[in-house]
Amino acid sequence: MAAPMGDGVLGASAAPLGPRQAQAAAAGALSLPPEAFGNDPTVELAWAARAFQHAQVYFNLISSVDPKFLKLTKADDRIYAEFRKAFQELRVDLLDQEELKSEPAKEKWRPFCLQFEGQVEDFNYGTLLRLDCSKEYTEENTIFATRIQFFAIEIARNREGCNSVVYNSVRNASLGTAEVNST
C-alpha cells in the first residue's frame, strides 16, 4: 500500500502540490543527504524528471543553434582534451553501451570522471545520453550516464560535427516549411 503524501521526503502535507510547489519541494529534497531518502520513489521520480528536463533543453539547444559554436561548461577545452586523451578510439556518433557500462569501461571512466570533481558542477549527477547522436531521445536511444560523461561525449560530438545532423535536419525542415508557406 502506498504511503500517504505527507509521509514521504517530498510530501509535507496531505494537500496535493501544484507544479511549482512540486518542483520547489523536489529541489529542496534533492539537496538533502542521500541517507535521508532510503528508497523513496518520489526522489527517484524527481531525479528522472530533472534528467528528462535536462535532455529536452539540450536537444532543443542543438536543434536551434549550430552545435559547433556551443560551449557547455567553462571547462570545455579541458574536458575535451582529457576525454580524447583517455578515449582516443571511442566513437561518439554511435555509442556502444558496453563502452560506458561494462566493468572494464567503468574502470577506465572512473579516473576520468573523478578528475573533474570540484571543477565541474554536479559532475556525477545522473543525466540522459543519446546512443545515436543523429536521433532524438527515445527509450531505445537513451542511456543513463554521469553528467561529466554527458559533457565529454556531447562536447566531442559538437566539436567533431556529429551533432550537426540534428541542427541541419531541423533547419532544413523549417526551410522546407517556409518554402511551402511562401508558395
Side-chain angles (χ1 to χ4, degrees):
M1 181 159 95
M5 285 185 67
D7 290 359
V9 174
L10 297 179
S13 72
L17 299 176
R20 292 200 190 282
Q21 293 89 359
Q23 187 175 17
L30 294 176
S31 66
L32 295 172
E35 52 276 358
F37 301 110
N39 289 328
D40 190 336
T42 55
V43 174
E44 291 177 18
L45 186 60
W47 280 108
R50 185 174 177 181
F52 181 71
Q53 181 182 30
H54 177 265
Q56 285 182 309
V57 168
Y58 183 71
F59 195 81
N60 289 339
L61 185 62
I62 63 172
S63 297
S64 58
V65 176
D66 190 341
K68 65 183 170 195
F69 298 115
L70 287 178
K71 187 162 176 71
L72 301 180
T73 74
K74 293 177 183 176
D76 278 15
D77 292 337
R78 179 165 174 251
I79 292 169
Y80 182 69
E82 294 296 327
F83 171 69
R84 278 305 181 202
K85 186 166 47 171
F87 300 95
Q88 295 171 9
E89 302 299 318
L90 183 68
R91 186 174 167 191
V92 294
D93 61 334
L94 186 60
L95 294 171
D96 176 356
Q97 286 190 53
E98 290 298 308
E99 294 285 337
L100 293 143
K101 303 290 182 182
S102 70
E103 283 307 313
K106 288 178 184 179
E107 290 301 315
K108 194 169 182 183
W109 275 102
R110 191 170 291 114
F112 171 82
C113 295
L114 289 175
Q115 70 182 311
F116 295 100
E117 184 174 11
Q119 295 176 31
V120 173
E121 187 177 347
D122 302 333
F123 82 104
N124 63 345
Y125 275 30
T127 306
L128 300 177
L129 181 64
R130 294 170 299 138
L131 293 169
D132 182 341
C133 72
S134 69
K135 297 179 181 174
E136 295 184 36
Y137 286 94
T138 63
E139 190 173 334
E140 303 79 29
N141 193 43
T142 305
I143 61 169
F144 202 62
T146 64
R147 182 155 300 170
I148 193 63
Q149 286 175 307
F150 169 86
F151 282 143
I153 290 166
E154 290 297 338
I155 290 166
R157 285 174 168 175
N158 292 342
R159 291 186 177 197
E160 296 170 14
C162 299
N163 276 335
S164 293
V165 69
V166 171
Y167 172 71
N168 290 331
S169 67
V170 170
R171 191 168 145 231
N172 291 340
S174 65
L175 289 175
T177 304
E179 286 178 18
V180 169
N181 289 337
S182 67
T183 55

